């Protein structure tokens, strides 16, 4: 509670800074209540208007939220304290990180042919030959490729676009369960999240329709390898979703194809449905390297202009060193062969775990990608139970908004032989959990 942390300050700026410091240091955790305006004003010897101004600034920046009679509380995901995963305890098999298998990634060798010396690439921010590679990469999947651009990863692009298109308080439709870093990013921008339920085919049309009726101004979703559940759009599902979105010409659709080349599922893109405002973004971290912070995107002309205009005012361009590295890898036959092998390997590893879980009567989801989502009754009991068996999996609370509990298991490095032992341990832990918590 706020009484355990002494808020200080004699100006609105000072009070806001004090609260932010408490959140950053962990003294004020998510959901912690701040004192009522008049009470804090009396304690600090300032006017209620000064405290109200401080609270307003904190709300604008996504650090606190107001819950009517519930007062002002620290946001569930405050903009200054992202939900970072807990440190993996020593000696445990890490199946929580969601990273690709290092053995299936190419060596990142920076190019040497860039000319030395200071220069600006603002006039030509993108390598033309890389643009053509990107078009050739996207075109077979039905993504319109007339306008393409680059970014420093999907989160960079999404954050830039939402900050240009929307204002604090605007609503964004997000997958539930969904990728926790995207959920954190949207909250940090001061935007309101409207959860959209997912299943094995991705977004559920009725849930998206409800979000549209609620007035969302943007949608962020994954067409395949949905994180954490692994859903992928079928043709019928894609068409249903497009039908919902066609009636909203001002709604920005952000399609995050984060696993693309290793997703082991065909792309059924919303962008092929004639939408007015859209962007399809692909990163390469899952198959070229987590440290290669580069993404390609195709989008409508308005979105291109707004994204590139803001990029020009900030970093200016994506490093040509990165672009040259990406170009070299994307056009290398050896790398392509490695990516093909990675895709098949991840498919076998995921299928093996799903098969072993099903053999023990455990329902799980993972139609594509590198993760398996297992619904459970008590996340903590399962996570701690598997920890005692030497496994470290991700509690679903990091990914959930309004959906039911579950745990995420990353299978990128899980060999099929290991899946047998993990599934057996999982079944044992569930049995103990049901005995303890009533099934």
């Amino acid at each position: 509670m706020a009484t355990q942390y002494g808020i200080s300050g004699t100006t609105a700026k000072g009070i806001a800074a004090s609260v932010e410091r408490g959140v950053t240091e962990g003294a004020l955790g998510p959901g912690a209540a701040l004192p009522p305006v008049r009470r804090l004003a009396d304690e600090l010897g300032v006017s209620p208007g000064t405290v109200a101004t401080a609270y307003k600034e904190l709300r604008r920046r996504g650090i606190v939220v107001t819950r009517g009679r519930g007062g002002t509380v620290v946001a569930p995901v405050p903009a200054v304290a992202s939900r970072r995963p807990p440190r993996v305890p020593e000696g445990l098999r890490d199946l929580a990180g969601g990273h690709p298998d290092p053995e299936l990634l190419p060596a990142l060798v920076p190019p040497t042919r860039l000319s030395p010396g200071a220069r600006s690439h603002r006039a030509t921010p993108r390598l033309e030959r890389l643009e053509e590679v990107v078009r050739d990469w996207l075109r077979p999947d039905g993504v319109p490729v007339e306008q393409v651009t680059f970014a420093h990863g999907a989160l960079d692009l999404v954050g830039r676009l939402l900050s240009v298109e929307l204002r604090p308080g605007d609503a964004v439709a997000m997958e539930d369960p969904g990728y926790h870093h995207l959920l954190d990013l949207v909250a940090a921008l001061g935007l309101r999240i409207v959860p959209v339920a997912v299943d094995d085919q991705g977004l559920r049309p009725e849930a998206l329709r409800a979000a549209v009726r609620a007035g969302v101004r943007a949608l962020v979703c994954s067409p395949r390898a949905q994180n954490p559940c692994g859903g992928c759009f079928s043709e019928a599902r894609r068409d249903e979703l497009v039908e919902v979105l066609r009636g909203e010409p001002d709604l920005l659709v952000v399609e995050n194809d984060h696993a693309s080349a290793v997703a082991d599922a065909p792309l059924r893109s919303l962008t092929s449905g004639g939408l007015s405002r859209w962007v399809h973004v692909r990163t390469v971290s899952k198959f070229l390297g987590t440290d290669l912070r580069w993404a390609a995107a195709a989008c409508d002309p308005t979105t291109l202009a707004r994204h590139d205009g803001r990029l020009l005012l900030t970093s200016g361009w994506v490093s040509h060193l990165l672009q040259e590295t990406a170009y070299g890898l994307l056009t290398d036959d050896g790398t392509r062969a490695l990516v093909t092998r990675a895709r098949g390997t991840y498919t076998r590893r995921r299928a093996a775990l799903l098969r072993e879980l099903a053999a023990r009567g455990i329902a799980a989801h993972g139609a594509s990608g590198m993760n398996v989502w297992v619904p459970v009754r008590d996340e903590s009991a399962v996570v701690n139970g598997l920890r005692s068996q030497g496994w470290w999996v991700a509690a679903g609370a990091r990914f959930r908004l309004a959906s039911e509990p579950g745990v995420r298991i990353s299978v990128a490095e899980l060999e099929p032989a290991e899946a047998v032992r993990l599934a057996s341990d999982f079944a044992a832990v569930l049995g103990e959990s049901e005995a303890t918590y009533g099934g």
Side-chain angles (χ1 to χ4, degrees):
M1 298 294 291
T3 52
Q4 297 174 322
Y5 174 77
I7 299 175
S8 61
T10 57
T11 64
K13 183 177 180 179
I15 295 168
S18 175
V19 172
E20 180 176 349
R21 186 164 55 251
V23 173
T24 302
E25 295 173 352
L28 292 173
L34 301 189
V37 169
R38 291 190 178 279
R39 193 177 85 198
L40 183 59
D42 289 342
E43 292 175 359
L44 298 178
V46 300
S47 71
T50 298
V51 176
T53 299
Y55 283 10
K56 180 179 180 180
E57 172 64 14
L58 291 166
R59 283 195 302 273
R60 185 188 69 79
R61 296 176 49 214
I63 298 174
V64 304
V65 294
T66 299
R67 294 178 173 169
R69 293 185 178 181
T72 299
V73 302
V74 176
V77 188
V80 293
S82 177
R83 287 182 290 188
R84 297 186 181 277
R87 186 182 298 276
V88 181
E90 191 171 341
L92 296 189
R93 185 79 161 82
D94 182 11
L95 302 177
H99 304 302
D101 186 342
E103 296 298 319
L104 297 172
L105 297 174
L108 294 183
V109 181
T112 58
R113 63 185 176 193
L114 289 181
S115 59
R119 63 199 181 284
S120 171
H121 294 303
R122 292 179 187 272
T124 55
R126 295 184 292 275
L127 298 177
E128 290 186 10
R129 59 183 177 278
L130 184 54
E131 284 187 326
E132 290 309 308
V133 168
V134 167
R135 289 189 170 93
D136 291 342
W137 185 21
L138 300 177
R139 190 181 293 111
D141 290 323
V143 178
V145 294
E146 287 77 11
Q147 293 86 28
V148 298
T149 190
F150 303 154
H152 300 95
L155 290 170
D156 175 64
L157 179 136
V158 173
R160 185 175 297 110
L161 278 177
L162 294 183
S163 66
V164 170
E165 298 276 349
L166 280 63
R167 295 292 177 268
D170 286 345
V172 180
M174 303 289 292
E175 295 165 330
D176 182 23
Y179 182 40
H180 60 100
H181 287 310
L182 276 172
L183 297 176
D184 291 351
L185 172 63
V186 171
L189 293 173
L191 303 172
R192 182 166 52 90
I193 295 176
V194 177
V196 178
V198 300
D199 57 23
D200 289 340
Q201 297 182 61
L203 295 168
R204 293 171 54 182
E206 68 275 13
L208 178 60
R209 192 171 289 110
V212 168
R213 286 198 298 266
V216 297
R217 293 194 55 201
L219 163 68
V220 182
C221 64
S222 296
R224 53 185 172 179
Q226 194 272 343
N227 190 356
C229 297
C232 54
F233 294 164
S234 64
E235 288 189 26
R237 176 61 59 84
R238 185 268 315 277
D239 293 346
E240 289 181 90
L241 296 172
V242 167
E243 191 62 30
V244 174
L245 296 168
R246 273 205 192 109
E248 304 295 326
D250 296 325
L251 191 154
L252 175 64
V253 176
V254 180
E255 190 172 72
N256 178 21
D257 192 19
H258 66 97
S260 61
V262 290
D264 72 305
L267 176 68
R268 281 99 180 200
S269 175
L270 298 174
T271 67
S272 62
L275 304 179
S276 299
R277 299 296 316 284
W278 59 271
V279 58
H280 175 93
V281 57
R282 288 187 182 179
T283 55
V284 296
S285 59
K286 295 298 184 186
F287 60 94
L288 294 185
T290 54
D291 203 36
L292 190 61
R293 310 311 298 168
W294 175 82
C299 50
D300 68 86
T302 299
T303 301
L304 177 75
R306 292 178 179 178
H307 173 271
D308 286 6
R310 179 60 62 89
L311 180 66
L312 182 68
L313 295 173
T314 52
S315 58
W317 64 86
V318 175
S319 164
H320 278 212
L321 186 64
L322 277 178
Q323 293 187 47
E324 290 279 7
T325 303
Y327 176 81
L329 291 170
L330 290 172
T331 57
D332 177 66
D333 289 340
T335 298
R336 288 171 174 168
L338 182 60
V339 171
T340 298
R341 181 161 69 89
R343 180 169 61 247
T345 300
Y346 295 144
T347 300
R348 288 192 296 275
R349 291 172 179 174
R350 190 186 69 252
L353 180 58
L354 290 171
R355 183 174 60 249
E356 295 299 332
L357 290 171
R360 292 158 178 79
I362 302 173
H365 304 274
S368 60
M370 301 180 180
N371 300 304
V372 168
W373 178 261
V374 188
V376 298
R377 179 179 178 86
D378 188 286
E379 293 177 4
S380 295
V382 171
V383 170
N384 289 327
L386 288 174
R387 176 179 179 173
S388 69
Q389 301 291 336
W391 306 102
W392 186 247
V393 302
R398 291 166 52 200
F399 309 92
R400 297 187 294 108
L401 295 167
S403 54
E404 296 299 315
V407 296
R408 190 192 75 171
I409 304 173
S410 296
V411 300
E413 298 184 70
L414 184 71
E415 295 292 350
E418 295 178 293
V420 177
R421 183 168 69 87
L422 173 59
S424 296
D425 290 343
F426 206 117
V429 168
L430 284 182
E432 294 172 1
S433 173
E434 290 178 1
T436 303
Y437 296 99

